[in-house]
Short mmCIF file of all heavy atoms in Angstrom, two decimals:
data_model
loop_
_atom_site.label_atom_id
_atom_site.label_comp_id
_atom_site.label_asym_id
_atom_site.label_seq_id
_atom_site.Cartn_x
_atom_site.Cartn_y
_atom_site.Cartn_z
N LEU A 32 199.96 -114.23 3.73
CA LEU A 32 201.34 -114.32 4.22
C LEU A 32 202.23 -113.29 3.52
O LEU A 32 203.07 -112.65 4.15
CB LEU A 32 201.89 -115.73 4.00
CG LEU A 32 201.28 -116.85 4.85
CD1 LEU A 32 201.88 -118.19 4.47
CD2 LEU A 32 201.50 -116.58 6.34
N GLU A 33 202.04 -113.14 2.21
CA GLU A 33 202.85 -112.15 1.47
C GLU A 33 202.56 -110.75 1.99
O GLU A 33 203.47 -109.95 2.19
CB GLU A 33 202.54 -112.25 -0.04
CG GLU A 33 203.17 -113.49 -0.67
CD GLU A 33 202.59 -113.85 -2.04
OE1 GLU A 33 201.79 -113.04 -2.60
OE2 GLU A 33 202.91 -114.95 -2.55
N GLN A 34 201.27 -110.47 2.24
CA GLN A 34 200.87 -109.17 2.77
C GLN A 34 201.51 -108.91 4.15
O GLN A 34 202.08 -107.85 4.39
CB GLN A 34 199.34 -109.11 2.85
CG GLN A 34 198.79 -107.89 3.50
CD GLN A 34 199.24 -106.61 2.78
OE1 GLN A 34 199.23 -106.54 1.56
NE2 GLN A 34 199.69 -105.61 3.53
N LEU A 35 201.43 -109.91 5.02
CA LEU A 35 201.98 -109.74 6.37
C LEU A 35 203.50 -109.69 6.35
O LEU A 35 204.12 -109.20 7.30
CB LEU A 35 201.50 -110.86 7.30
CG LEU A 35 199.98 -110.94 7.53
CD1 LEU A 35 199.63 -112.10 8.44
CD2 LEU A 35 199.43 -109.62 8.09
N GLY A 36 204.10 -110.15 5.27
CA GLY A 36 205.55 -110.01 5.09
C GLY A 36 205.93 -108.56 4.84
O GLY A 36 207.07 -108.16 5.07
N ARG A 37 204.96 -107.78 4.36
CA ARG A 37 205.21 -106.34 4.15
C ARG A 37 204.85 -105.54 5.39
O ARG A 37 205.61 -104.68 5.82
CB ARG A 37 204.44 -105.85 2.92
CG ARG A 37 205.00 -106.38 1.60
CD ARG A 37 204.32 -105.77 0.40
NE ARG A 37 202.98 -106.30 0.22
CZ ARG A 37 202.68 -107.35 -0.54
NH1 ARG A 37 203.63 -108.00 -1.18
NH2 ARG A 37 201.44 -107.78 -0.66
N SER A 38 203.68 -105.82 5.99
CA SER A 38 203.30 -105.11 7.21
C SER A 38 202.18 -105.87 7.93
O SER A 38 201.44 -106.63 7.30
CB SER A 38 202.81 -103.69 6.88
OG SER A 38 201.61 -103.78 6.16
N ASP A 39 202.09 -105.67 9.23
CA ASP A 39 201.00 -106.28 9.99
C ASP A 39 199.68 -105.72 9.47
O ASP A 39 199.64 -104.64 8.87
CB ASP A 39 201.14 -105.94 11.48
CG ASP A 39 202.43 -106.50 12.08
OD1 ASP A 39 203.13 -107.24 11.35
OD2 ASP A 39 202.73 -106.21 13.25
N ALA A 40 198.59 -106.44 9.71
CA ALA A 40 197.29 -105.95 9.23
C ALA A 40 196.19 -106.52 10.11
O ALA A 40 196.34 -107.60 10.68
CB ALA A 40 197.08 -106.38 7.79
N SER A 41 195.09 -105.79 10.20
CA SER A 41 193.94 -106.30 10.96
C SER A 41 193.14 -107.25 10.05
O SER A 41 193.28 -107.22 8.83
CB SER A 41 193.05 -105.14 11.40
OG SER A 41 192.40 -104.59 10.28
N ILE A 42 192.30 -108.06 10.69
CA ILE A 42 191.44 -108.98 9.92
C ILE A 42 190.58 -108.17 8.95
O ILE A 42 190.40 -108.55 7.80
CB ILE A 42 190.54 -109.80 10.86
CG1 ILE A 42 191.36 -110.59 11.90
CG2 ILE A 42 189.60 -110.69 10.07
CD1 ILE A 42 191.50 -112.06 11.67
N THR A 43 190.05 -107.03 9.42
CA THR A 43 189.20 -106.20 8.55
C THR A 43 189.97 -105.73 7.32
O THR A 43 189.46 -105.79 6.20
CB THR A 43 188.70 -104.96 9.35
OG1 THR A 43 188.25 -105.40 10.63
CG2 THR A 43 187.59 -104.24 8.63
N GLU A 44 191.19 -105.25 7.53
CA GLU A 44 192.00 -104.81 6.38
C GLU A 44 192.25 -105.97 5.40
O GLU A 44 192.16 -105.79 4.19
CB GLU A 44 193.36 -104.27 6.88
CG GLU A 44 193.26 -102.88 7.52
CD GLU A 44 194.50 -102.53 8.35
OE1 GLU A 44 195.32 -103.42 8.67
OE2 GLU A 44 194.62 -101.34 8.70
N LEU A 45 192.56 -107.14 5.96
CA LEU A 45 192.82 -108.30 5.09
C LEU A 45 191.56 -108.69 4.31
O LEU A 45 191.61 -108.98 3.11
CB LEU A 45 193.32 -109.49 5.92
CG LEU A 45 194.72 -109.34 6.53
CD1 LEU A 45 195.00 -110.50 7.48
CD2 LEU A 45 195.80 -109.27 5.45
N ALA A 46 190.40 -108.69 5.01
CA ALA A 46 189.15 -109.05 4.35
C ALA A 46 188.87 -108.10 3.19
O ALA A 46 188.50 -108.52 2.09
CB ALA A 46 188.00 -109.02 5.35
N GLU A 47 189.11 -106.79 3.43
CA GLU A 47 188.87 -105.80 2.37
C GLU A 47 189.83 -106.04 1.20
O GLU A 47 189.44 -106.08 0.05
CB GLU A 47 189.10 -104.39 2.91
CG GLU A 47 187.82 -103.79 3.48
CD GLU A 47 188.08 -102.53 4.28
OE1 GLU A 47 189.10 -101.86 4.04
OE2 GLU A 47 187.24 -102.24 5.17
N LYS A 48 191.10 -106.20 1.53
CA LYS A 48 192.13 -106.37 0.50
C LYS A 48 191.84 -107.58 -0.39
O LYS A 48 192.06 -107.55 -1.59
CB LYS A 48 193.49 -106.53 1.17
CG LYS A 48 194.62 -106.34 0.19
CD LYS A 48 195.98 -106.32 0.81
CE LYS A 48 197.04 -106.47 -0.25
NZ LYS A 48 197.04 -105.40 -1.25
N PHE A 49 191.37 -108.66 0.22
CA PHE A 49 191.14 -109.88 -0.56
C PHE A 49 189.67 -110.05 -0.94
O PHE A 49 189.26 -111.12 -1.36
CB PHE A 49 191.67 -111.10 0.20
CG PHE A 49 193.17 -111.11 0.28
CD1 PHE A 49 193.84 -110.53 1.35
CD2 PHE A 49 193.92 -111.66 -0.75
CE1 PHE A 49 195.23 -110.52 1.41
CE2 PHE A 49 195.31 -111.65 -0.70
CZ PHE A 49 195.96 -111.08 0.38
N ASP A 50 188.90 -108.95 -0.77
CA ASP A 50 187.52 -108.91 -1.23
C ASP A 50 186.73 -110.11 -0.69
O ASP A 50 186.18 -110.92 -1.45
CB ASP A 50 187.52 -108.93 -2.77
CG ASP A 50 186.20 -108.38 -3.31
OD1 ASP A 50 185.47 -107.72 -2.54
OD2 ASP A 50 185.89 -108.63 -4.49
N MET A 51 186.69 -110.20 0.62
CA MET A 51 186.16 -111.39 1.28
C MET A 51 185.36 -110.96 2.51
O MET A 51 185.61 -109.89 3.06
CB MET A 51 187.37 -112.22 1.71
CG MET A 51 187.07 -113.61 2.12
SD MET A 51 188.60 -114.55 2.26
CE MET A 51 188.69 -115.24 0.62
#
Side-chain angles (χ1 to χ4, degrees):
Chain A
L32 291 177
E33 286 164 9
Q34 174 58 44
L35 298 179
R37 289 186 287 268
S38 67
D39 298 354
S41 70
I42 303 255
T43 314
E44 285 164 346
L45 291 172
E47 270 168 25
K48 195 173 166 61
F49 291 92
D50 201 17
M51 193 168 267

